Amino acid sequence: MKTRCQEIESSIIKRFRKGIWRPFIKGMQEYRMVKPGDRVAVCISGGKDSMLLAKCMQEIIRHGDIDFQAEYLVMDPGYHPANRRRIEENAALMEIPVTIIESDIFNIVADETQSPCYLCARMRRGFLYDGARRLGCNKIALGHHFDDVIETILMSMLYGGQINTMMPKLHSTNFQGMELIRPLYFVKEEDIIAWRDYNQLSFLQCACRFTEKIRKEQADQEEVHSSKRQEMKELIAWFRKNNPNIENNIFKSVENVNLDVCLGYVQGKQRHHFMDTYDEEG
């Protein structure tokens, strides 16, 4: 008889093979996210995405053909004790050997009024890189998924006036020799939710004190847009009513950029404009 953990692991490989395991393997292979000898810090926030990522990384280490190691890193930015306990209990249930590092990031950004989420994210990323390096890791793995990628593309266009995407892997600019990877790059959120619900798992939604405060202040409103990312989710859902391939088209748009018909682009911090060479080409 299988243990609870074994059932959860089996569901990834078997029941959700098409929606989770194959896209996970595709991302790992297509973007060559790990190499022999790598030591990856799998970063766990306590949500469904990072917990699934941890299990997928465990499975590929057991059954894959690339010899690499992983550490499972939880950075506590000042969680409420109940949230911290939820993470520890889920890690124990899923047999994920976590290392927890402490910080007081939530307290530091508590009084920030301009851009607390941006500051918090930057600080958390720095703590994760530092913690990973102290564990002997050369890479950190984050649980961003396919929906995060296409939402980022739309947000950059509609609110940033530029075309950017969430890259599958990046070299760190502040921690030399460190790299960030996103192994769930091709995994859709609906499949992660289906996996969570099938296994009757309960993860943290959002443990951010700032977000919790906003939710309480907006509790009496009929419609609450918790973030620009939520707006993008709703916009994509609206588009999907007429075009079921909308997500894939958004994703492909940043794979098929045609510089011959772009007004301008930036490369290596240098800005290029089509008028720079227009007369020469004519």
Side-chain angles (χ1 to χ4, degrees):
M1 184 175 179
K2 290 182 179 179
T3 66
R4 184 87 166 85
C5 179
Q6 288 172 334
E7 290 175 348
I8 294 170
E9 294 168 348
S10 178
S11 71
I12 296 172
I13 303 296
K14 296 182 179 179
R15 186 177 183 88
F16 295 96
R17 189 174 191 86
K18 182 179 179 181
I20 293 178
W21 185 246
R22 286 179 181 171
F24 165 71
I25 294 298
K26 178 184 176 183
M28 292 287 282
Q29 293 178 342
E30 184 164 325
Y31 299 116
R32 298 191 292 274
M33 293 194 184
V34 294
K35 299 177 182 178
D38 278 347
R39 191 175 184 87
V40 182
V42 181
C43 301
I44 299 173
S45 65
K48 65 186 189 312
D49 309 326
S50 61
M51 284 292 190
L52 173 63
L53 171 62
K55 293 310 299 180
C56 286
M57 294 297 278
Q58 282 184 327
E59 289 301 297
I60 198 173
I61 287 174
R62 291 169 184 161
H63 307 296
D65 56 3
I66 297 180
D67 183 19
F68 73 99
Q69 296 178 312
E71 296 283 348
Y72 301 91
L73 181 61
V74 175
M75 194 278 295
D76 184 345
Y79 289 132
H80 186 281
N83 290 331
R84 166 76 172 256
R85 188 162 54 252
R86 172 78 65 83
I87 295 174
E88 293 171 333
E89 289 173 351
N90 279 328
L93 170 67
M94 300 171 69
E95 297 181 12
I96 303 170
V98 297
T99 297
I100 301 178
I101 58 175
E102 312 283 348
S103 78
D104 58 351
I105 292 176
F106 282 172
N107 288 332
I108 294 174
V109 303
D111 297 326
E112 178 67 27
T113 57
Q114 295 298 318
S115 52
C117 295
Y118 174 76
L119 178 61
C120 182
R122 281 186 60 89
M123 292 184 67
R124 292 176 74 161
R125 187 70 56 83
F127 268 93
L128 288 171
Y129 271 120
D130 184 63
R133 190 162 58 181
R134 286 190 278 113
L135 289 171
C137 299
N138 63 313
K139 295 180 178 179
I140 67 171
L142 301 183
H144 296 120
H145 48 65
F146 183 82
D147 296 65
D148 291 322
V149 177
I150 62 174
E151 289 159 15
T152 297
I153 296 170
L154 282 185
M155 281 194 296
S156 71
M157 294 174 64
L158 301 179
Y159 288 103
Q162 55 188 336
I163 299 177
N164 280 340
T165 189
M166 183 178 283
M167 298 296 286
K169 64 179 185 178
L170 291 167
H171 291 292
S172 173
T173 55
N174 297 319
F175 293 83
Q176 188 173 5
M178 296 290 291
E179 192 174 355
L180 179 153
I181 62 174
R182 295 183 168 105
L184 300 183
Y185 204 71
F186 291 125
V187 179
K188 294 184 177 180
E189 186 175 29
E190 64 180 0
D191 292 305
I192 300 176
I193 292 172
W195 167 80
R196 178 200 65 191
D197 294 346
Y198 173 78
N199 288 287
Q200 297 180 326
L201 295 168
S202 178
F203 300 116
L204 295 186
Q205 294 289 336
C206 177
C208 173
R209 291 181 188 172
F210 184 75
T211 304
E212 289 174 349
K213 180 181 178 182
I214 291 178
R215 284 176 177 170
K216 289 178 181 178
E217 293 174 349
Q218 298 176 332
D220 295 331
Q221 296 182 15
E222 289 187 8
E223 295 185 11
V224 177
H225 293 277
S226 59
S227 66
K228 291 293 187 290
R229 191 167 293 278
Q230 181 61 31
E231 291 181 18
M232 297 304 101
K233 289 181 185 293
E234 295 172 7
L235 180 61
I236 292 168
W238 184 83
F239 279 128
R240 196 188 301 117
K241 294 177 182 178
N242 295 318
N243 183 357
N245 294 316
I246 192 69
E247 290 101 334
N248 289 331
N249 289 340
I250 295 172
F251 183 87
K252 289 178 180 177
S253 71
V254 292
E255 282 190 331
N256 299 315
V257 178
N258 187 346
L259 296 183
D260 292 334
V261 288
C262 277
L263 293 178
Y265 64 95
V266 176
Q267 185 176 33
K269 297 183 179 181
Q270 185 175 354
R271 184 171 295 278
H272 302 268
H273 194 277
F274 88 103
M275 287 298 294
D276 296 340
T277 57
Y278 180 80
D279 290 333
E280 298 173 10
E281 292 172 356

PDB file of all heavy atoms in Angstrom, residues 219-242:
ATOM      1  N   ALA A 219     -12.591  44.303   1.721  1.00  0.00           N
ATOM      2  CA  ALA A 219     -13.481  43.152   1.914  1.00  0.00           C
ATOM      3  C   ALA A 219     -14.933  43.458   1.574  1.00  0.00           C
ATOM      4  O   ALA A 219     -15.674  42.573   1.146  1.00  0.00           O
ATOM      5  CB  ALA A 219     -13.385  42.657   3.350  1.00  0.00           C
ATOM      6  N   ASP A 220     -15.359  44.715   1.730  1.00  0.00           N
ATOM      7  CA  ASP A 220     -16.755  45.061   1.508  1.00  0.00           C
ATOM      8  C   ASP A 220     -17.052  45.467   0.063  1.00  0.00           C
ATOM      9  O   ASP A 220     -18.204  45.711  -0.292  1.00  0.00           O
ATOM     10  CB  ASP A 220     -17.171  46.210   2.436  1.00  0.00           C
ATOM     11  CG  ASP A 220     -17.130  45.785   3.899  1.00  0.00           C
ATOM     12  OD1 ASP A 220     -17.324  44.585   4.165  1.00  0.00           O
ATOM     13  OD2 ASP A 220     -16.893  46.649   4.744  1.00  0.00           O
ATOM     14  N   GLN A 221     -15.999  45.532  -0.763  1.00  0.00           N
ATOM     15  CA  GLN A 221     -16.217  45.913  -2.156  1.00  0.00           C
ATOM     16  C   GLN A 221     -16.719  44.714  -2.950  1.00  0.00           C
ATOM     17  O   GLN A 221     -16.367  43.576  -2.680  1.00  0.00           O
ATOM     18  CB  GLN A 221     -14.912  46.427  -2.776  1.00  0.00           C
ATOM     19  CG  GLN A 221     -14.403  47.704  -2.120  1.00  0.00           C
ATOM     20  CD  GLN A 221     -13.142  48.199  -2.794  1.00  0.00           C
ATOM     21  OE1 GLN A 221     -12.804  47.778  -3.890  1.00  0.00           O
ATOM     22  NE2 GLN A 221     -12.444  49.095  -2.127  1.00  0.00           N
ATOM     23  N   GLU A 222     -17.541  44.973  -3.982  1.00  0.00           N
ATOM     24  CA  GLU A 222     -18.075  43.880  -4.783  1.00  0.00           C
ATOM     25  C   GLU A 222     -16.990  43.242  -5.636  1.00  0.00           C
ATOM     26  O   GLU A 222     -16.952  42.038  -5.833  1.00  0.00           O
ATOM     27  CB  GLU A 222     -19.207  44.400  -5.686  1.00  0.00           C
ATOM     28  CG  GLU A 222     -20.473  44.746  -4.915  1.00  0.00           C
ATOM     29  CD  GLU A 222     -21.612  45.095  -5.846  1.00  0.00           C
ATOM     30  OE1 GLU A 222     -21.434  44.914  -7.061  1.00  0.00           O
ATOM     31  OE2 GLU A 222     -22.650  45.548  -5.356  1.00  0.00           O
ATOM     32  N   GLU A 223     -16.112  44.073  -6.211  1.00  0.00           N
ATOM     33  CA  GLU A 223     -15.066  43.554  -7.074  1.00  0.00           C
ATOM     34  C   GLU A 223     -13.716  44.002  -6.519  1.00  0.00           C
ATOM     35  O   GLU A 223     -13.481  45.169  -6.275  1.00  0.00           O
ATOM     36  CB  GLU A 223     -15.221  44.067  -8.513  1.00  0.00           C
ATOM     37  CG  GLU A 223     -16.494  43.560  -9.182  1.00  0.00           C
ATOM     38  CD  GLU A 223     -16.553  43.992 -10.631  1.00  0.00           C
ATOM     39  OE1 GLU A 223     -15.532  44.487 -11.129  1.00  0.00           O
ATOM     40  OE2 GLU A 223     -17.618  43.835 -11.243  1.00  0.00           O
ATOM     41  N   VAL A 224     -12.843  43.043  -6.359  1.00  0.00           N
ATOM     42  CA  VAL A 224     -11.507  43.347  -5.841  1.00  0.00           C
ATOM     43  C   VAL A 224     -10.466  42.842  -6.826  1.00  0.00           C
ATOM     44  O   VAL A 224     -10.381  41.657  -7.093  1.00  0.00           O
ATOM     45  CB  VAL A 224     -11.277  42.674  -4.463  1.00  0.00           C
ATOM     46  CG1 VAL A 224      -9.865  42.940  -3.990  1.00  0.00           C
ATOM     47  CG2 VAL A 224     -12.289  43.184  -3.463  1.00  0.00           C
ATOM     48  N   HIS A 225      -9.706  43.756  -7.400  1.00  0.00           N
ATOM     49  CA  HIS A 225      -8.584  43.377  -8.262  1.00  0.00           C
ATOM     50  C   HIS A 225      -7.340  43.418  -7.391  1.00  0.00           C
ATOM     51  O   HIS A 225      -6.804  44.479  -7.102  1.00  0.00           O
ATOM     52  CB  HIS A 225      -8.457  44.349  -9.443  1.00  0.00           C
ATOM     53  CG  HIS A 225      -9.599  44.259 -10.402  1.00  0.00           C
ATOM     54  ND1 HIS A 225      -9.660  43.308 -11.401  1.00  0.00           N
ATOM     55  CD2 HIS A 225     -10.738  44.977 -10.508  1.00  0.00           C
ATOM     56  CE1 HIS A 225     -10.785  43.456 -12.095  1.00  0.00           C
ATOM     57  NE2 HIS A 225     -11.455  44.464 -11.562  1.00  0.00           N
ATOM     58  N   SER A 226      -6.872  42.249  -6.965  1.00  0.00           N
ATOM     59  CA  SER A 226      -5.778  42.199  -6.002  1.00  0.00           C
ATOM     60  C   SER A 226      -4.470  42.670  -6.611  1.00  0.00           C
ATOM     61  O   SER A 226      -3.576  43.083  -5.908  1.00  0.00           O
ATOM     62  CB  SER A 226      -5.618  40.774  -5.464  1.00  0.00           C
ATOM     63  OG  SER A 226      -5.347  39.864  -6.518  1.00  0.00           O
ATOM     64  N   SER A 227      -4.342  42.618  -7.945  1.00  0.00           N
ATOM     65  CA  SER A 227      -3.092  43.014  -8.566  1.00  0.00           C
ATOM     66  C   SER A 227      -3.280  43.155 -10.060  1.00  0.00           C
ATOM     67  O   SER A 227      -4.299  42.747 -10.626  1.00  0.00           O
ATOM     68  CB  SER A 227      -2.010  41.964  -8.289  1.00  0.00           C
ATOM     69  OG  SER A 227      -2.338  40.742  -8.934  1.00  0.00           O
ATOM     70  N   LYS A 228      -2.302  43.749 -10.700  1.00  0.00           N
ATOM     71  CA  LYS A 228      -2.315  43.841 -12.164  1.00  0.00           C
ATOM     72  C   LYS A 228      -2.290  42.447 -12.767  1.00  0.00           C
ATOM     73  O   LYS A 228      -2.867  42.210 -13.835  1.00  0.00           O
ATOM     74  CB  LYS A 228      -1.107  44.656 -12.634  1.00  0.00           C
ATOM     75  CG  LYS A 228      -1.180  46.134 -12.286  1.00  0.00           C
ATOM     76  CD  LYS A 228      -2.298  46.824 -13.040  1.00  0.00           C
ATOM     77  CE  LYS A 228      -2.295  48.313 -12.837  1.00  0.00           C
ATOM     78  NZ  LYS A 228      -2.695  48.709 -11.479  1.00  0.00           N
ATOM     79  N   ARG A 229      -1.625  41.520 -12.102  1.00  0.00           N
ATOM     80  CA  ARG A 229      -1.568  40.151 -12.632  1.00  0.00           C
ATOM     81  C   ARG A 229      -2.963  39.528 -12.666  1.00  0.00           C
ATOM     82  O   ARG A 229      -3.296  38.801 -13.603  1.00  0.00           O
ATOM     83  CB  ARG A 229      -0.611  39.299 -11.786  1.00  0.00           C
ATOM     84  CG  ARG A 229      -0.285  37.951 -12.410  1.00  0.00           C
ATOM     85  CD  ARG A 229       0.882  37.285 -11.715  1.00  0.00           C
ATOM     86  NE  ARG A 229       2.124  38.000 -11.928  1.00  0.00           N
ATOM     87  CZ  ARG A 229       2.882  37.864 -13.015  1.00  0.00           C
ATOM     88  NH1 ARG A 229       2.505  37.064 -13.991  1.00  0.00           N
ATOM     89  NH2 ARG A 229       4.005  38.531 -13.140  1.00  0.00           N
ATOM     90  N   GLN A 230      -3.784  39.813 -11.675  1.00  0.00           N
ATOM     91  CA  GLN A 230      -5.159  39.317 -11.685  1.00  0.00           C
ATOM     92  C   GLN A 230      -5.937  39.920 -12.842  1.00  0.00           C
ATOM     93  O   GLN A 230      -6.760  39.250 -13.478  1.00  0.00           O
ATOM     94  CB  GLN A 230      -5.847  39.631 -10.348  1.00  0.00           C
ATOM     95  CG  GLN A 230      -7.285  39.139 -10.254  1.00  0.00           C
ATOM     96  CD  GLN A 230      -7.411  37.632 -10.401  1.00  0.00           C
ATOM     97  OE1 GLN A 230      -6.514  36.888 -10.013  1.00  0.00           O
ATOM     98  NE2 GLN A 230      -8.530  37.191 -10.977  1.00  0.00           N
ATOM     99  N   GLU A 231      -5.682  41.176 -13.133  1.00  0.00           N
ATOM    100  CA  GLU A 231      -6.326  41.809 -14.287  1.00  0.00           C
ATOM    101  C   GLU A 231      -5.953  41.081 -15.571  1.00  0.00           C
ATOM    102  O   GLU A 231      -6.797  40.877 -16.455  1.00  0.00           O
ATOM    103  CB  GLU A 231      -5.912  43.274 -14.385  1.00  0.00           C
ATOM    104  CG  GLU A 231      -6.460  44.158 -13.287  1.00  0.00           C
ATOM    105  CD  GLU A 231      -6.026  45.603 -13.458  1.00  0.00           C
ATOM    106  OE1 GLU A 231      -5.609  45.960 -14.589  1.00  0.00           O
ATOM    107  OE2 GLU A 231      -6.093  46.359 -12.485  1.00  0.00           O
ATOM    108  N   MET A 232      -4.691  40.680 -15.675  1.00  0.00           N
ATOM    109  CA  MET A 232      -4.238  39.962 -16.868  1.00  0.00           C
ATOM    110  C   MET A 232      -4.919  38.601 -16.973  1.00  0.00           C
ATOM    111  O   MET A 232      -5.287  38.154 -18.065  1.00  0.00           O
ATOM    112  CB  MET A 232      -2.718  39.795 -16.849  1.00  0.00           C
ATOM    113  CG  MET A 232      -1.914  41.085 -16.891  1.00  0.00           C
ATOM    114  SD  MET A 232      -2.285  42.141 -18.311  1.00  0.00           S
ATOM    115  CE  MET A 232      -3.359  43.372 -17.530  1.00  0.00           C
ATOM    116  N   LYS A 233      -5.086  37.923 -15.844  1.00  0.00           N
ATOM    117  CA  LYS A 233      -5.785  36.630 -15.847  1.00  0.00           C
ATOM    118  C   LYS A 233      -7.203  36.784 -16.400  1.00  0.00           C
ATOM    119  O   LYS A 233      -7.665  35.982 -17.220  1.00  0.00           O
ATOM    120  CB  LYS A 233      -5.846  36.055 -14.423  1.00  0.00           C
ATOM    121  CG  LYS A 233      -4.523  35.547 -13.867  1.00  0.00           C
ATOM    122  CD  LYS A 233      -4.727  34.978 -12.463  1.00  0.00           C
ATOM    123  CE  LYS A 233      -3.408  34.573 -11.827  1.00  0.00           C
ATOM    124  NZ  LYS A 233      -2.791  33.430 -12.517  1.00  0.00           N
ATOM    125  N   GLU A 234      -7.868  37.819 -15.955  1.00  0.00           N
ATOM    126  CA  GLU A 234      -9.236  38.047 -16.388  1.00  0.00           C
ATOM    127  C   GLU A 234      -9.295  38.449 -17.855  1.00  0.00           C
ATOM    128  O   GLU A 234     -10.209  38.042 -18.590  1.00  0.00           O
ATOM    129  CB  GLU A 234      -9.882  39.115 -15.503  1.00  0.00           C
ATOM    130  CG  GLU A 234     -10.039  38.668 -14.048  1.00  0.00           C
ATOM    131  CD  GLU A 234     -10.495  39.791 -13.135  1.00  0.00           C
ATOM    132  OE1 GLU A 234     -10.812  40.889 -13.648  1.00  0.00           O
ATOM    133  OE2 GLU A 234     -10.532  39.576 -11.909  1.00  0.00           O
ATOM    134  N   LEU A 235      -8.325  39.238 -18.298  1.00  0.00           N
ATOM    135  CA  LEU A 235      -8.271  39.655 -19.700  1.00  0.00           C
ATOM    136  C   LEU A 235      -8.029  38.450 -20.614  1.00  0.00           C
ATOM    137  O   LEU A 235      -8.687  38.300 -21.654  1.00  0.00           O
ATOM    138  CB  LEU A 235      -7.160  40.691 -19.888  1.00  0.00           C
ATOM    139  CG  LEU A 235      -6.969  41.250 -21.306  1.00  0.00           C
ATOM    140  CD1 LEU A 235      -8.236  41.954 -21.770  1.00  0.00           C
ATOM    141  CD2 LEU A 235      -5.776  42.200 -21.343  1.00  0.00           C
ATOM    142  N   ILE A 236      -7.098  37.593 -20.224  1.00  0.00           N
ATOM    143  CA  ILE A 236      -6.805  36.398 -21.022  1.00  0.00           C
ATOM    144  C   ILE A 236      -8.024  35.479 -21.072  1.00  0.00           C
ATOM    145  O   ILE A 236      -8.340  34.899 -22.122  1.00  0.00           O
ATOM    146  CB  ILE A 236      -5.582  35.659 -20.451  1.00  0.00           C
ATOM    147  CG1 ILE A 236      -4.318  36.509 -20.645  1.00  0.00           C
ATOM    148  CG2 ILE A 236      -5.405  34.290 -21.114  1.00  0.00           C
ATOM    149  CD1 ILE A 236      -3.116  36.009 -19.878  1.00  0.00           C
ATOM    150  N   ALA A 237      -8.723  35.343 -19.952  1.00  0.00           N
ATOM    151  CA  ALA A 237      -9.931  34.511 -19.914  1.00  0.00           C
ATOM    152  C   ALA A 237     -10.986  35.063 -20.871  1.00  0.00           C
ATOM    153  O   ALA A 237     -11.703  34.300 -21.530  1.00  0.00           O
ATOM    154  CB  ALA A 237     -10.479  34.450 -18.490  1.00  0.00           C
ATOM    155  N   TRP A 238     -11.081  36.382 -20.968  1.00  0.00           N
ATOM    156  CA  TRP A 238     -12.033  37.010 -21.882  1.00  0.00           C
ATOM    157  C   TRP A 238     -11.652  36.733 -23.329  1.00  0.00           C
ATOM    158  O   TRP A 238     -12.497  36.384 -24.154  1.00  0.00           O
ATOM    159  CB  TRP A 238     -12.089  38.509 -21.615  1.00  0.00           C
ATOM    160  CG  TRP A 238     -13.105  39.231 -22.443  1.00  0.00           C
ATOM    161  CD1 TRP A 238     -14.441  39.359 -22.190  1.00  0.00           C
ATOM    162  CD2 TRP A 238     -12.860  39.930 -23.671  1.00  0.00           C
ATOM    163  NE1 TRP A 238     -15.043  40.094 -23.187  1.00  0.00           N
ATOM    164  CE2 TRP A 238     -14.104  40.450 -24.114  1.00  0.00           C
ATOM    165  CE3 TRP A 238     -11.712  40.162 -24.437  1.00  0.00           C
ATOM    166  CZ2 TRP A 238     -14.224  41.195 -25.289  1.00  0.00           C
ATOM    167  CZ3 TRP A 238     -11.834  40.887 -25.615  1.00  0.00           C
ATOM    168  CH2 TRP A 238     -13.084  41.403 -26.024  1.00  0.00           C
ATOM    169  N   PHE A 239     -10.359  36.870 -23.653  1.00  0.00           N
ATOM    170  CA  PHE A 239      -9.887  36.580 -25.005  1.00  0.00           C
ATOM    171  C   PHE A 239     -10.135  35.115 -25.382  1.00  0.00           C
ATOM    172  O   PHE A 239     -10.460  34.787 -26.524  1.00  0.00           O
ATOM    173  CB  PHE A 239      -8.390  36.869 -25.124  1.00  0.00           C
ATOM    174  CG  PHE A 239      -8.063  38.321 -25.343  1.00  0.00           C
ATOM    175  CD1 PHE A 239      -7.140  38.962 -24.526  1.00  0.00           C
ATOM    176  CD2 PHE A 239      -8.661  39.042 -26.363  1.00  0.00           C
ATOM    177  CE1 PHE A 239      -6.828  40.300 -24.724  1.00  0.00           C
ATOM    178  CE2 PHE A 239      -8.354  40.379 -26.575  1.00  0.00           C
ATOM    179  CZ  PHE A 239      -7.438  41.016 -25.754  1.00  0.00           C
ATOM    180  N   ARG A 240      -9.976  34.227 -24.395  1.00  0.00           N
ATOM    181  CA  ARG A 240     -10.083  32.796 -24.650  1.00  0.00           C
ATOM    182  C   ARG A 240     -11.480  32.385 -25.116  1.00  0.00           C
ATOM    183  O   ARG A 240     -11.639  31.352 -25.767  1.00  0.00           O
ATOM    184  CB  ARG A 240      -9.699  32.004 -23.396  1.00  0.00           C
ATOM    185  CG  ARG A 240      -9.407  30.529 -23.650  1.00  0.00           C
ATOM    186  CD  ARG A 240      -9.211  29.736 -22.365  1.00  0.00           C
ATOM    187  NE  ARG A 240      -8.112  30.254 -21.572  1.00  0.00           N
ATOM    188  CZ  ARG A 240      -8.261  30.769 -20.348  1.00  0.00           C
ATOM    189  NH1 ARG A 240      -9.464  30.833 -19.796  1.00  0.00           N
ATOM    190  NH2 ARG A 240      -7.229  31.209 -19.679  1.00  0.00           N
ATOM    191  N   LYS A 241     -12.476  33.193 -24.788  1.00  0.00           N
ATOM    192  CA  LYS A 241     -13.840  32.881 -25.206  1.00  0.00           C
ATOM    193  C   LYS A 241     -13.957  32.830 -26.726  1.00  0.00           C
ATOM    194  O   LYS A 241     -14.748  32.062 -27.288  1.00  0.00           O
ATOM    195  CB  LYS A 241     -14.809  33.930 -24.653  1.00  0.00           C
ATOM    196  CG  LYS A 241     -14.934  33.921 -23.133  1.00  0.00           C
ATOM    197  CD  LYS A 241     -15.857  35.030 -22.656  1.00  0.00           C
ATOM    198  CE  LYS A 241     -15.946  35.045 -21.136  1.00  0.00           C
ATOM    199  NZ  LYS A 241     -16.813  36.165 -20.640  1.00  0.00           N
ATOM    200  N   ASN A 242     -13.180  33.660 -27.429  1.00  0.00           N
ATOM    201  CA  ASN A 242     -13.217  33.704 -28.882  1.00  0.00           C
ATOM    202  C   ASN A 242     -12.039  32.991 -29.537  1.00  0.00           C
ATOM    203  O   ASN A 242     -12.119  32.608 -30.708  1.00  0.00           O
ATOM    204  CB  ASN A 242     -13.238  35.158 -29.369  1.00  0.00           C
ATOM    205  CG  ASN A 242     -14.509  35.881 -28.966  1.00  0.00           C
ATOM    206  OD1 ASN A 242     -15.593  35.320 -29.046  1.00  0.00           O
ATOM    207  ND2 ASN A 242     -14.373  37.118 -28.509  1.00  0.00           N
TER     208      ASN A 242
END
